[in-house]
Amino acid sequence: MVKVFLVDDHSVFRSGVRAELSGQVDIVGDAGTVAEAIAGIDAARPDVVLLDVHMPDGGGLAVLRGVSSDPVFLALSVSDAAEDVISLIRAGARGYVTKNISGTELAEAITRVHSGDAYFSPRLAGFVLDAFAGGEIVEDEPEEPQKIEDPVVDALTRRELEVLRLLARGYTYREIGQELFISVKTVETHASNILRKTQQSNRHALTRWAHSRDLD
């Protein structure tokens, strides 16, 4: 059975993944911080690490770069942003799936990357193909300058950007809470902060604003 280590800063989510994968893989440890993850992975020596992308203190990239052992990394994240996918793959992850994946599909992804294959949620594969076309890394020049030149976007926190993307895709507050494992009240607070920072009057205006900046 494949030995798996789970890294995510939400304990409820970790518990859910353990339950979904029970009997399909051997969960040998889990961690909710970068430091705990690095120490735990090096101690447990798993075959595969399920790795959250966005966490404090450097997130998944810091974990991937900090371990001294050599497991296979499979990113498991709420984010489906192209820059997140490409940065993790460039750093050495063998796959990237989003958190709406089913338990059966996740077990298959773990098995695939453990066997040496790459695995991506269907809509993410195109990002990787474009970025590594012909075996060459194709630098995506417009992305970084756009972030730097938009102080309003820069003023949004990581969590606010996650909420904004889901709002722009038409998710309800309850659905956003379920997706990000936060309360509806917390989603409402983030949405209020986003409206204030972007100076938009309502959700429809905010959605148009997000679309115009490719934040959806």
Side-chain angles (χ1 to χ4, degrees):
M1 191 174 289
V2 182
K3 296 188 296 182
V4 175
F5 195 99
L6 174 61
V7 180
D8 194 283
D9 59 347
H10 293 96
S11 60
V12 173
F13 179 75
R14 297 200 305 272
S15 297
V17 172
R18 279 182 173 274
E20 287 286 343
L21 295 178
S22 177
Q24 301 182 80
V25 301
D26 180 16
I27 304 285
V28 297
D30 64 73
T33 69
V34 169
E36 290 173 353
I38 293 172
I41 292 166
D42 286 341
R45 300 280 170 169
D47 300 311
V48 176
V49 175
L50 288 180
L51 186 63
D52 190 17
V53 175
H54 294 298
M55 297 187 300
D57 301 320
L61 283 175
V63 175
L64 199 153
R65 293 166 176 165
V67 297
S68 59
S69 55
D70 191 27
V72 176
F73 287 91
L74 173 63
L76 176 61
S77 175
V78 69
S79 171
D80 60 2
E83 60 268 25
D84 288 334
V85 178
I86 299 308
S87 65
L88 263 292
I89 300 307
R90 281 176 173 160
R94 289 292 300 170
Y96 194 115
V97 295
T98 51
K99 286 184 177 179
N100 59 359
I101 192 171
S102 70
T104 301
E105 291 171 325
L106 182 56
E108 179 188 357
I110 291 169
T111 300
R112 291 272 296 276
V113 297
H114 179 242
S115 68
D117 291 339
Y119 191 97
F120 303 93
S121 292
R123 72 178 302 273
L124 306 183
F127 299 154
V128 181
L129 290 173
D130 289 344
F132 296 91
E136 297 288 335
I137 296 177
V138 179
E139 298 294 340
D140 188 0
E141 296 294 344
E143 290 294 333
E144 192 63 28
Q146 182 181 12
K147 288 174 64 180
I148 294 173
E149 292 173 3
D150 196 330
V152 177
V153 176
D154 289 343
L156 298 175
T157 66
R158 174 184 61 82
R159 181 63 85 191
E160 287 168 353
L161 282 170
E162 290 174 345
V163 171
L164 173 59
R165 286 189 173 104
L166 294 176
L167 284 171
R169 292 169 193 164
Y171 282 57
T172 66
Y173 285 176
R174 183 175 298 279
E175 289 170 337
I176 294 172
Q178 292 172 343
E179 187 77 11
L180 300 181
F181 300 93
I182 57 179
S183 70
V184 174
K185 182 65 175 177
T186 300
V187 175
E188 292 173 349
T189 299
H190 284 311
S192 177
N193 290 338
I194 293 166
L195 287 169
R196 175 177 53 81
K197 290 182 179 180
T198 60
Q199 298 184 353
Q200 301 303 305
S201 58
N202 55 52
R203 178 169 178 170
H204 295 297
L206 181 64
T207 298
R208 291 194 298 271
W209 184 90
H211 287 330
S212 71
R213 289 162 173 77
D214 295 325
L215 293 175
D216 55 338

